[in-house]
Amino acid sequence: MLDQIALRAELADHYDLAPSPDLALATADLYARMERVVSPPDWAIHAPYVAAINRLKKERNAVILAHNYMTPEIYHGVADVVGDSLQLAIEATRAEADVIVQCGVHFMAETAKILNPAKTVLMPDMEAGCSLAESITPAGIAEMRARYPGAPVVTYVNTSAAVKAASDICCTSSNAAQIVAAQDSDTVIMTPDKYLAQNVARQVPHKRVVWWDGACIVHERFTAQDLRDFRSYNPETRIIAHPECPPDVVAEADFSGSTSGIIGYVERERPQKAMLVTECSMASNISGALPEVDFVGPCNMCPYMKKITLEKILWSLHAMDGAVEVDAAIAAKARVAVQRMIDLSRQLAG
Ligand code: 13P
Ligand code: SF4
């Protein structure tokens, strides 16, 4: 990828990207979904990028898959499909377009490529990593297998293709407990998220769950004391935590689930006040459709997810830059672990 100054200059040669009140007006239907959190002047800045990306998507026969942590102008402005990690992986298997632009982090783009290798999968910023994915290598999986001989390895999708390839089956935050419960072994190894593993261990007490020492830098920052303090001043607030949070944080919450699980809960319950103990963009993205819910309390930003911007998406589609490749032998093994998860999830959902 070019550096930001060169990239900006190249884009300026091909597109009129000056703030445009006219384009903002022409895309008022998109803006309506985020007007609670994006100001009109900001939308006038975003609108030329949104219009150019949506035009280029058609020219390139591309589809944009975006994670729930993307900023509102990406989530509502250019995404064709939004979802949690499991939903995005399933969508990647179904994509018919020639090009998939993965607006999320690198492991998600790798997963899309593993599941649909014939497609060009573009990552707008190759540096959008993940602290969990960076915490473990295949050697770590081998170490766990040596420590717990015969125990199956259930690996979170937030990992590299090579780590998935060394694992027996993958999981996401929306199916981890069911996948662990379905393993034909008393001991189950979970990698790399120790907090997800500890939360699963509470849900599946008949298994001995052992874990790798990784954590999400966004969710590990929340503390149970923060939640207790917040609740003591705001007793009517519904607190909803992602399972990448430490177990004492999850224990303080009224509900815990994957990002889509959290969205589903708020849509169903429509509490007067809600505190989402997860990444900041979640509340911003759903607040437009839930005007009666007041989203309160602190949130933490994922520095990796926030590397994805409209400008970088436009560049990747313009230059077809940032194609993700996975070694064929690694991809074949990783596909087995991811596909097992998808198949088992479908089977368990009945
Ligand atoms: P889910 O969207 O699967 O809940 O995962 C959250 C996450 O941190 C992805 O990086
Ligand atoms: Fe990784 Fe946490 Fe960021 Fe998700 S929120 S991409 S788990 S660092």
Side-chain angles (χ1 to χ4, degrees):
M1 198 170 86
L2 294 180
D3 69 53
Q4 189 137 359
I5 294 173
L7 179 157
R8 215 162 262 178
E10 271 283 316
L11 286 177
D13 279 348
H14 293 87
Y15 307 91
D16 180 1
L17 296 169
S20 168
D22 289 345
L23 267 179
L25 207 61
T27 50
D29 55 329
L30 296 179
Y31 180 59
R33 301 182 208 163
M34 63 192 111
E35 63 187 352
R36 233 178 127 183
V37 289
V38 176
S39 71
D42 279 342
W43 183 242
I45 292 171
H46 295 318
Y49 288 88
V50 168
I53 291 168
N54 286 335
R55 219 174 26 247
L56 256 188
K57 262 192 327 194
K58 289 196 188 115
E59 284 172 34
R60 303 270 193 246
N61 189 22
V63 65
I64 294 187
L65 307 187
H67 186 261
N68 291 326
Y69 291 163
M70 289 293 101
T71 51
E73 66 276 11
I74 295 174
Y75 186 90
H76 292 296
V78 299
D80 297 291
V81 178
V82 292
D84 66 11
S85 310
L86 180 63
Q87 290 167 325
L88 295 181
I90 291 171
E91 283 303 328
T93 65
R94 295 185 182 139
E96 284 175 3
D98 297 326
V99 179
I100 297 172
V101 183
Q102 186 72 54
C103 293
V105 290
H106 190 266
F107 76 79
M108 295 177 177
E110 264 194 351
T111 305
K113 185 70 184 174
I114 288 164
L115 290 170
N116 210 337
K119 307 294 174 188
T120 300
V121 178
L122 298 179
M123 186 67 209
D125 188 330
M126 288 289 188
E127 311 230 305
C130 167
S131 65
L132 283 167
E134 285 154 21
S135 74
I136 189 162
T137 63
I141 301 286
E143 192 184 314
M144 292 300 277
R145 287 197 193 277
R147 219 183 293 165
Y148 304 101
V153 177
V154 178
T155 285
Y156 202 27
V157 284
N158 299 38
T159 43
S160 67
V163 167
K164 290 181 176 79
S167 306
D168 296 300
I169 186 166
C170 285
C171 73
T172 72
S173 56
S174 66
N175 59 22
Q178 294 94 313
I179 301 262
V180 168
Q183 297 308 302
D184 187 18
S185 165
D186 292 337
T187 300
V188 179
I189 299 167
M190 281 191 81
T191 69
D193 188 345
K194 63 179 169 190
Y195 293 136
L196 179 70
Q198 289 162 14
N199 287 317
V200 166
R202 286 185 176 192
Q203 290 173 278
V204 190
H206 58 289
K207 297 282 185 197
R208 175 183 175 226
V209 179
V210 294
W211 52 80
W212 184 253
D213 191 24
C216 160
I217 53 164
V218 176
H219 293 94
E220 71 174 350
R221 284 167 58 201
F222 295 103
T223 70
Q225 191 57 46
D226 291 342
L227 269 57
R228 279 193 291 273
D229 290 347
F230 192 83
R231 210 193 272 286
S232 71
Y233 287 104
N234 304 275
E236 75 286 16
T237 305
R238 212 71 72 82
I239 299 181
I240 307 143
H242 194 277
E244 289 171 11
C245 293
D248 58 339
V249 170
V250 170
E252 287 294 330
D254 298 297
F255 176 80
S256 175
S258 76
T259 55
S260 290
I262 291 173
I263 294 172
Y265 176 87
V266 183
E267 283 174 348
R268 266 192 323 276
E269 299 281 321
R270 295 182 183 251
Q272 223 175 14
K273 284 190 184 182
M275 175 181 173
L276 307 192
V277 187
T278 188
E279 216 273 348
C280 288
S281 290
M282 279 276 294
S284 308
N285 288 336
I286 61 175
S287 64
L290 296 162
E292 69 274 46
V293 182
D294 191 8
F295 290 94
V296 293
C299 61
N300 292 325
M301 212 120 74
C302 174
Y304 305 105
M305 290 277 181
K306 264 43 203 183
K307 281 188 177 292
I308 308 301
T309 62
L310 286 175
E311 188 176 55
K312 290 179 194 167
I313 297 169
L314 178 58
W315 173 256
S316 68
L317 270 172
H318 168 79
M320 294 299 283
D321 190 26
V324 172
E325 299 299 339
V326 183
D327 173 84
I330 289 175
K333 284 189 188 162
R335 194 174 307 123
V336 172
V338 179
Q339 196 60 52
R340 271 187 193 145
M341 167 190 77
I342 293 175
D343 294 344
L344 187 54
S345 285
R346 283 200 181 120
Q347 195 185 314
L348 294 170

